[in-house]
Amino acid sequence: MRESGRYRIVEREILDKLIAELELSNSDLADRQTSLRLGKILSASLIATGSMNQQDGSWLVSLRFIDTETTSIRSSVSKIIPSSSPEEVAESLGELIEEKLRKEFPLQGKIVALADDTMTINIGARSGVKKGMTFEVLDDDEIPITEATIQKTGKKKSVALTEQQSPDLEDGMRVRELLDE
């Protein structure tokens, strides 16, 4: 997940150190609201919580993704991973989480420049944009106008080639990652 560039992962160890630094009492540590406030401090928009239980050489994984601002459960995933190898379980779990989060939270940005059949959007490799990804351009009513394929990525911006030149395209229009179904 880290390698995708799309996610910033904060490990539990860091949360534990932050809790120690803040010198929170034992009763505060058990409070779900405290964990969510820590997520805000770390600029996390989601906190994953859940369990992993081993059963007969397989792992039952159950995760919930909680919004740090609203404290609501934004998504969840549950799956049996048929392996006892820690490496295979970790890889499978990472793929499962990434697939779920990509569907629930596609990358989004805005057009910042237009030239002929190319556009520059305000998100790049730092957000997880890669060459070959496809984005749809949305009008004010969230209706797709055209698609664009990423040709080049920088840290904070990307250049995309539009599927068809459209006179309706304007700077400031939203773009959203188009996922393979």
Side-chain angles (χ1 to χ4, degrees):
M1 289 182 68
R2 274 195 185 125
E3 290 171 7
S4 75
R6 185 182 185 116
Y7 308 100
R8 288 178 194 82
I9 303 199
V10 178
E11 295 181 28
R12 177 64 193 234
E13 229 174 86
I14 293 170
L15 281 175
D16 290 341
K17 287 179 182 177
L18 184 56
I19 289 169
E21 287 291 321
L22 294 173
E23 298 181 300
L24 297 171
S25 69
N26 286 337
S27 62
D28 285 341
L29 294 179
D31 180 18
R32 184 172 167 218
Q33 298 301 319
T34 300
S35 295
L36 296 172
R37 284 195 311 271
L38 290 173
K40 285 184 185 178
I41 291 169
L42 294 169
S43 298
S45 56
L46 292 174
I47 289 181
T49 183
S51 63
M52 292 178 63
N53 298 302
Q54 191 172 26
Q55 299 174 344
D56 303 322
S58 294
W59 286 87
L60 172 60
V61 178
S62 179
L63 295 172
R64 292 173 311 285
F65 300 94
I66 301 169
D67 186 303
T68 59
E69 297 224 359
T70 65
T71 69
S72 65
I73 296 174
R74 294 286 307 270
S75 187
S76 64
V77 65
S78 212
K79 184 173 183 176
I80 295 175
I81 301 173
S83 177
S84 59
S85 159
E87 293 83 13
E88 288 177 18
V89 172
E91 185 174 331
S92 182
L93 183 56
E95 289 170 1
L96 177 68
I97 292 169
E98 187 166 6
E99 179 183 334
K100 181 71 169 182
L101 293 179
R102 283 189 76 206
K103 285 180 182 175
E104 301 268 341
F105 308 101
L107 291 175
Q108 298 186 58
K110 289 190 177 189
I111 298 173
V112 293
L114 290 164
D116 298 323
D117 58 352
T118 63
M119 68 176 68
T120 302
I121 60 174
N122 67 346
I123 55 176
R126 199 176 268 173
S127 299
V129 178
K130 295 184 188 283
K131 185 177 179 179
M133 290 176 86
T134 304
F135 285 78
E136 56 188 357
V137 180
L138 307 171
D139 69 10
D140 291 338
D141 297 319
E142 301 284 315
I143 297 170
I145 294 175
T146 190
E147 295 178 8
T149 304
I150 301 297
Q151 302 298 305
K152 186 172 113 180
T153 61
K155 284 182 183 178
K156 296 181 182 180
K157 293 183 182 177
S158 300
V159 176
L161 184 63
T162 58
E163 186 178 79
Q164 56 197 20
Q165 197 167 357
S166 172
D168 299 331
L169 296 181
E170 299 173 5
D171 285 358
M173 290 184 104
R174 284 191 44 234
V175 296
R176 177 176 57 210
E177 179 183 13
L178 192 59
L179 303 172
D180 302 329
E181 293 298 321

